[in-house]
Amino acid sequence: MMGRWTKRLVAAAACAPALASADRYNLQTPQSIIAHQIYDLHTLIFVICCVIFVVVFGVMFYAIIMHRKAAGHKAQQFHENTTIEIAWTIVPFLILIGMAYPATKTIIAMKDTSNPDLTIKATGYQWKWGYDYLQEGISFYSSLATPRDQLDGNAPKGVNYLLEVDNPVVVPVGKKVRIITTANDVIHAWWVPALGVKQDAIPGFVRDSWFKADKAGTYRGQCAELCGKDHGYMPIVVEAVEPAKYEAWVKDRQEKMAKVAVADAPGKIWTLDELKARGEKVYAQHCVACHQPTGLGTPPVFPALSGSKVVTGLKEVQIDTVLGGVVKDGKQTAMMPFKQLSDVEIAAVITYTRNSWSNKTGDAILPDEVKALRK
Amino acid sequence: MYAAHAHDQAHGDHAHSPGGIMRWITTTNHKDIGTLYLWFSFTMLMVGGVLAIGIRAELFQPGLQFWRPEFFNELTTMHGLIMVFGAIMPAFVGFANWQIPMMIGAPDMAFARMNNWSFWLLPPAACLLVGSFFVPGGATAAGWTLYAPLSTQMGPGMDLAIFALHIMGASSIMGAINIITTILNMRAPGMDLMKMPLFVWTWLITAYLLIAVMPVLAGAVTMVLTDRHFGTNFFNAAGGGDPVLFQHIFWFFGHPEVYIMILPAFGIISQVIPAFARKPLFGYASMVYALASIAILSFIVWAHHMFTVGMPAAGQLFFMFATMLIAVPTGVKVFNWIATMWKGSMTFEAPMLFACGFIFVFSMGGFTGLMLAIPPVDIQVQDTYYVVAHFHYVLVAGSLFAIFAGAYFWIPKWTGHMYDETLGKWHFWLSLIFFNITFFPMHFLGLAGMPRRIPDYALQFADFNMVASFGGFGFGLTQLIFLAAVIKCIRGGEKAPDKPWEGADTLEWTLPSPPPYHSFETPPVVK
Amino acid sequence: MVNQAQLNLLTLRKLLIVAAAMFGFGYALVPFYQKICEVTGVNNVIKADEVANTQIDVARFVTIEFDSNLRSHLPWTFRPLQTNVRVHPGELTTVSYEIRNNSARTVTGQAIPSYGPQVAGRYFRKLDCFCFTQQTLQPGEVRQMPVAFVVDQGLPGDVNTITLSYTFFEVEGTAKQAGG
């Protein structure tokens, strides 16, 4: 036990220099105009508070030391002084106005989402983010990429433990990016500290916020509104790149999406291996968090798929389960419906589960079979 | 607290009152009920503390050690609910029951039987809350703020929590009505409102706040309940509702609730400091006005809890200015306390130590509160450990330290024995040190970007979390010293004089220690 | 002493009325909030707006972006047929969205509009919209639906881009028939 701990501590210490610095005691190094303003505002108010603190508690500790009975001090019986009472009402008031003025300017700047160079919609799901580049037509999901082994302590934790995703948001440096947030199920919040953006994502409504990255780099954040079980496991990663590189990325993404569209086109004849390969990707995106890469799940809440009666039994039953979720005693269980996936995706992932781990059914489920069972 | 003495008195004064457990169940005596409230609150403090230790154990190092993430969320949620509704609020009601009649020269509370009901509603509510851990799906894990639509997604544990809140709300409202009626109608002759001890003033205002906002909370959780089971759509966008509406209603309750938990603390501190400075309270009238303005302002600042929901700039500005305004009367109170200490003749027994600790550490919570009032900074640190640090500075170093100050201050009166000063001093210094070890590093964690309510965290947060966990375990254990001091004091100890504190001057100190079971049956005359 | 008890009961009654009134106030916050949102344009209601002034401000352009969302349980595809348009304030514009029912059952949905920035909701006048009524789709049916709108000239000068976002929800009841 101690050995494992020591190893982890050493690992933590080894990556410490990379992470250490002022960031540990203060706001993260600001990387956008708004983040700079927030940083300066925080510093200003911090300094004012420290000065007040020293003055007020200087007086208190002076009294505590000098006006003790043990020091022979006799109590004086005064109990009011109108002048001083008015003074200590007015002076804090003036100090507050001094703080509010720069804050007001920043608030107005933060709310100015006009004239963006690009608009990205971030949709919160339990528990991953979905992104849509509205004008470019790019869409993808972004889920935690940290392997399960690291969470459970069976593998050493990487430098970006819990702050890494499979598909980061890519944005051009120096361009105004407008983020529109919404959510699919409960309230989430899209937060990247270094860019000075935090915006709740509310189901059924859109909200907007913006940032402009000062320089190229990878900026990491997390969901900042309790959204259920895996609230701590839906990070946000923004990669700011040079505009030319961004253009290339957009083109690449668009081509890939077109390919998937062609690949999933209705009428395509699928082989078992093709379905399995496609299904593995779907599984990694939507199923792995609960049912685990090993297919063993974490019973009793998340049952194993490997050796499961549903997965090795009648395929219609499994298709129904994936489409409709599992309802027990009139209550939705953790197995949510996955109707939002396409016929191809569902067929592929079911094929994958029926032919992985200890499951060897040899079944290939075709998209049309899924379509037929949609209610 | 102090069965031993009260029991003897009961035989003397009340020949027909039942003995044993039935005496406590049927009692209508304000001192008995005060005792019940205080023990109940201490029990819940221990339960909430155990949950807190569960949280800190999981966060001791990165990775998942002890709990599943969903159970971790249950721990944080129930820690919040139990500490707020089970520990802090009932503790202050316990003080009110013991002290208000004795401080205003009344024989008992206005509605003695209702007083009994308002206490005995609490244990069933606590059982519902704690019992919800054992229903399928576990306790509610939606955070103590119960934000919809996450709370509409929860299992039956959520329903139990809603019923518990209903019952506790009813109890608080009954208690508040009792307190207001007692204060308004039953003061001794000559005790004008502006002659009342400040503790009584703080409770008068707190009780009005309770009556104003507990029903709003009841309404909010009822809406969640009907959304869950009866097909209403208050917070469901699909049916024309709005999830953000829940936050508005909740915080309309929630912000005054914060002051419900701190105003009586201000009252206790305002009794303790003059007593140990041997000097009258500085600026009594301005203290009362400051209290009233804090209470009124508390109704127009709620949305500063929700700067990130995306309200218009005008809304952010309004709530920023209103919130900053609260710093003025709060500042006035701190200045008045320090002016009371100034040129006094101070001694530092346990109540005074806790009072000084309160002013010092609570003010730090006040400064971080000011920081959080500024929307741009708030947006950066909202829902991070910075907020966790802030509200523990005001609720632990604020409310809880004041409760300890009050307990040591009045326990000689209640039991007739002096407490063990050495234990009291150890309790204070260890509490102060461990409190800061636990919560000070959380400021750094929040600034550096650690979200709250997560069971596992990135590696750069590891050191401070480990420090905070050590501090948390220490703080928890330290509270056992308090239990030891209290039990020792009930069992015996040096006989307490009627007025053990040289500078104390309120009416309860004119009674013997312990006071007779029925005190001030003939009202005293206040000059 | 009778007087004292009567006085106490009077106070009790008054305070109980206050408590009951505050319970009601909690519920009164619901319509009050909706009204505030309507007035400030945070959430626009789903009914047709009237357009009083149709003068076109040709000197100014506003970019309107279109967005679509589906709640996960709805087995549809839903997309705008254009990603964005540039319009003059005051100009009547019609765009289209397309929905397709991918399932083998009849499904009814209701769309809720939302605007970014929120303030734009006040100046975004919809004359015709598929969100005014529920949409019922037969299995496999595809429907193109128009939105006709005018951006009011009163739109604050610093707003040059508006995102119009619709979220389709399944209408309660049709889901139950399907048995989840």
Side-chain angles (χ1 to χ4, degrees), chain B residues 46-56 74-75 78-79 82 133:
Chain B
M46 290 292 113
V47 174
V50 168
L51 301 181
I53 284 174
I55 294 168
R56 284 316 323 169
E74 292 173 30
L75 286 179
M78 297 303 280
H79 168 72
I82 285 178
F133 273 113

Side-chain angles (χ1 to χ4, degrees), chain A residues 142 147 346:
Chain A
S142 175
I346 291 179

Side-chain angles (χ1 to χ4, degrees), chain A residues 151-230:
Chain A
L151 269 61
D152 293 333
N154 298 327
K157 296 181 179 20
V159 183
N160 293 319
Y161 177 65
L162 295 187
L163 295 178
E164 50 201 342
V165 296
D166 50 1
N167 296 309
V169 186
V170 178
V171 299
V173 168
K175 295 275 169 61
K176 184 166 182 176
V177 180
R178 180 154 155 263
I179 288 283
I180 293 192
T181 59
T182 184
N184 182 55
D185 27 51
V186 300
I187 301 175
H188 303 265
W190 199 86
W191 178 35
V192 182
L195 300 173
V197 184
K198 184 187 281 157
Q199 179 58 58
D200 284 3
I202 296 157
F205 299 93
V206 298
R207 296 288 196 261
D208 64 350
S209 186
W210 70 277
F211 66 85
K212 192 190 267 183
D214 288 346
K215 54 176 195 244
T218 306
Y219 307 116
R220 297 170 196 278
Q222 285 177 274
C223 174
E225 182 67 67
L226 180 64
C227 55
K229 171 172 88 77
D230 285 347

Side-chain angles (χ1 to χ4, degrees), chain B residues 228-434:
Chain B
R228 284 165 58 79
H229 299 297
F230 303 108
T232 58
N233 287 305
F234 288 107
F235 310 125
N236 179 6
D242 186 340
V244 177
L245 173 63
F246 178 83
Q247 300 183 23
H248 281 289
I249 303 177
F250 181 86
W251 287 114
F252 184 85
F253 146 81
H255 203 79
E257 167 71 11
V258 171
Y259 294 110
I260 287 167
M261 291 190 283
I262 199 68
L263 292 186
F266 289 170
I268 292 173
I269 299 303
S270 304
Q271 300 303 131
V272 169
I273 289 186
F276 291 87
R278 294 162 178 78
K279 209 174 140 253
L281 182 70
F282 187 89
Y284 174 90
S286 69
M287 284 298 229
V288 174
Y289 301 142
L291 280 173
S293 40
I294 291 175
I296 291 164
L297 283 173
S298 77
F299 285 102
I300 55 163
V301 298
W302 77 89
H304 68 214
H305 295 270
M306 10 185 323
F307 279 143
T308 61
V309 298
M311 68 181 82
Q316 291 198 340
L317 288 173
F318 172 79
F319 287 107
M320 171 179 81
F321 284 116
T323 307
M324 289 174 100
L325 267 185
I326 291 190
V328 175
T330 313
V332 166
K333 299 194 76 74
V334 172
F335 298 143
N336 278 333
W337 288 323
I338 293 177
T340 308
M341 293 161 82
W342 187 253
K343 294 204 186 293
S345 175
M346 282 185 279
T347 51
F348 294 93
E349 289 88 349
M352 184 62 164
L353 283 176
F354 271 108
C356 294
F358 168 94
I359 300 179
F360 186 65
V361 191
F362 171 80
S363 297
M364 288 164 70
F367 283 125
T368 52
L370 184 59
M371 196 72 92
L372 289 167
I374 312 283
V377 182
D378 178 82
I379 277 171
Q380 198 62 292
V381 293
Q382 192 252 13
D383 257 310
T384 68
Y385 264 80
Y386 192 87
V387 173
V388 176
H390 161 70
F391 66 71
H392 283 93
Y393 265 79
V394 291
L395 284 180
V396 178
S399 307
L400 191 63
F401 276 22
I403 289 170
F404 290 143
Y408 287 115
F409 185 55
W410 281 305
I411 208 170
K413 174 61 57 190
W414 297 340
T415 63
H417 303 131
M418 293 307 287
Y419 61 89
D420 185 328
E421 190 61 54
T422 317
L423 283 182
K425 287 212 162 80
W426 272 103
H427 178 215
F428 169 72
W429 286 109
L430 289 178
S431 289
L432 185 73
I433 291 164
F434 280 127

Side-chain angles (χ1 to χ4, degrees), chain A residues 125-140:
Chain A
Y125 293 84
Q126 282 174 319
W127 293 273
K128 59 178 173 279
W129 290 95
Y131 296 101
D132 298 271
Y133 288 61
L134 289 190
Q135 310 227 358
E136 292 76 5
I138 301 172
S139 300
F140 56 87

